């Protein structure tokens, strides 16, 4: 995000679609990341890293398929 980024809120609500998208992206990224850490926590560091790297793009792919009504 740019250092010149200005959050556009009116009465506490985001009013620009770009701001809504950025907020939802941040929340989704945090949720996916936290969930992977929680569910993969019993693995050693190397195995965790490999599983995380494999799972993340597959999750995004499934979300895209859901969005495209392919699921």
């Amino acid at each position: 995000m740019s250092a010149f980024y200005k959050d556009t809120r009116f009465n506490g609500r985001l009013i620009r679609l770009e701001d809504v998208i950025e907020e939802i992206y941040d929340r989704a990224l945090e949720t996916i990341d936290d969930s992977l850490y929680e569910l993969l926590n019993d693995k050693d560091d190397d195995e965790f890293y490999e599983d995380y790297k494999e799972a993340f793009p597959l999750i995004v792919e499934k979300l895209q398929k859901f969005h495209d009504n392919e699921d």
Side-chain angles (χ1 to χ4, degrees):
M1 188 173 333
S2 168
F4 299 107
Y5 174 80
K6 181 175 184 275
D7 191 349
T8 57
R9 293 181 190 261
F10 181 74
N11 292 332
R13 298 187 67 190
L14 295 170
I15 56 172
R16 288 185 41 223
L17 182 58
E18 292 84 3
D19 295 332
V20 171
I21 292 167
E22 187 66 29
E23 180 69 24
I24 298 300
Y25 168 79
D26 290 343
R27 290 181 187 187
L29 183 59
E30 182 178 355
T31 299
I32 293 168
D33 187 62
D34 289 350
S35 297
L36 283 169
Y37 273 95
E38 176 187 336
L39 298 171
L40 297 174
N41 70 356
D42 62 338
K43 300 181 182 282
D44 65 42
D45 288 346
D46 290 337
E47 188 178 14
F48 168 84
Y49 179 76
E50 292 300 318
D51 286 351
Y52 184 100
K53 293 293 277 185
E54 180 180 346
F56 199 97
L58 294 174
I59 293 165
V60 172
E61 181 181 321
K62 286 186 71 117
L63 288 169
Q64 184 65 49
K65 285 180 181 179
F66 171 80
H67 176 267
D68 295 340
N69 293 317
E70 293 179 17
D71 199 25

